[in-house]
Amino acid sequence: MEEGRRLQRISRSSKDPIRLRRAIVVLMSAQGQTVKDITSLMQVGEDYVRDVIHAFNERWFDALDPQWSGGRRPVISERVREHIRLIARTSPADWGITGSATWSLSKLADHLVGRRIVLRISRETLRRILREGKVSWQTTTTWKASTDPDFIAKDAPDPGVIRRPAGRRPGDLRR
């Protein structure tokens, strides 16, 4: 009876959906429901129901808790990730790549594969690596650059020229 009350308490108050589903399966089984009835009501497979019931019989309430694993180990080591971040902080021109002032994720990925730093890398993985290292690869707005030392002087407007608003002719009156 005490186990039944505890299962009911878990099924009413659990915030974890996995624990909740497992508790309901065990509770329904304890109430005499067949595996087929439980699968149709809970929308789960027969193997799942049997596995939950057998695990509960072996480990009791510990079987209701999900056993999360650490997940897959990173394919790209932390040393290589730092090297990728260092490359991303440089200009593509430093590597002999012309045509753009900043990296795009695609260009950086192609460069890393071409240099054999990694065998392959997706843009999403690259984006995550850069975000973890707080590297921004987006361009910053700057003025046009030129190799001409007199560029600024040549680009400046002539002070003797009078500028009018667009659409006005010299004889128009101001209102």
Side-chain angles (χ1 to χ4, degrees):
M1 291 299 281
E2 181 59 35
E3 293 166 6
R5 284 191 211 107
R6 187 171 172 192
L7 283 170
Q8 282 182 339
R9 224 176 309 126
I10 292 170
S11 66
R12 289 182 187 145
S13 63
S14 181
K15 303 287 188 220
D16 184 7
I18 296 170
R19 183 176 168 89
L20 174 68
R21 185 182 325 121
R22 290 177 183 175
I24 292 172
V25 167
V26 172
L27 190 58
M28 290 176 75
S29 175
Q31 292 172 347
Q33 299 284 333
T34 64
V35 171
K36 208 167 220 161
D37 292 340
I38 296 171
T39 57
S40 65
L41 289 171
M42 297 293 296
Q43 299 295 312
V44 293
E46 290 183 9
D47 290 338
Y48 176 80
V49 172
R50 288 188 179 97
D51 288 344
V52 168
I53 293 169
H54 289 299
F56 185 79
N57 289 336
E58 290 173 9
R59 297 181 305 173
W60 290 89
F61 287 94
D62 290 338
L64 300 179
D65 295 326
Q67 301 296 316
W68 302 111
S69 61
R72 182 178 175 185
R73 291 187 317 171
V75 175
I76 301 172
S77 70
E78 189 56 40
R79 190 170 143 242
V80 173
R81 287 171 182 257
E82 191 56 39
H83 189 67
I84 290 170
R85 291 180 196 124
L86 287 173
I87 291 173
R89 288 184 181 107
T90 64
S91 171
D94 297 340
W95 297 92
I97 300 171
T98 59
S100 70
T102 59
W103 293 106
S104 68
L105 290 176
S106 298
K107 283 183 187 175
L108 183 57
D110 292 343
H111 176 73
L112 295 171
V113 171
R115 291 275 179 167
R116 295 191 174 143
I117 295 167
V118 292
L119 292 175
R120 64 180 172 267
I121 188 167
S122 69
R123 289 189 315 246
E124 179 62 20
T125 301
L126 187 54
R127 186 189 64 75
R128 288 180 183 178
I129 291 170
L130 296 178
R131 180 178 279 173
E132 287 169 5
K134 294 184 173 65
V135 177
S136 174
W137 65 93
Q138 289 142 356
T139 184
T140 56
T141 306
T142 61
W143 294 102
K144 291 182 181 177
S146 174
T147 56
D148 183 9
D150 298 327
F151 175 73
I152 295 173
K154 290 178 183 177
D155 193 41
D158 186 9
V161 175
I162 299 172
R163 296 188 181 251
R164 284 187 286 285
R168 294 221 176 154
R169 284 174 266 146
D172 288 346
L173 297 174
R174 287 191 176 177
R175 292 188 179 172

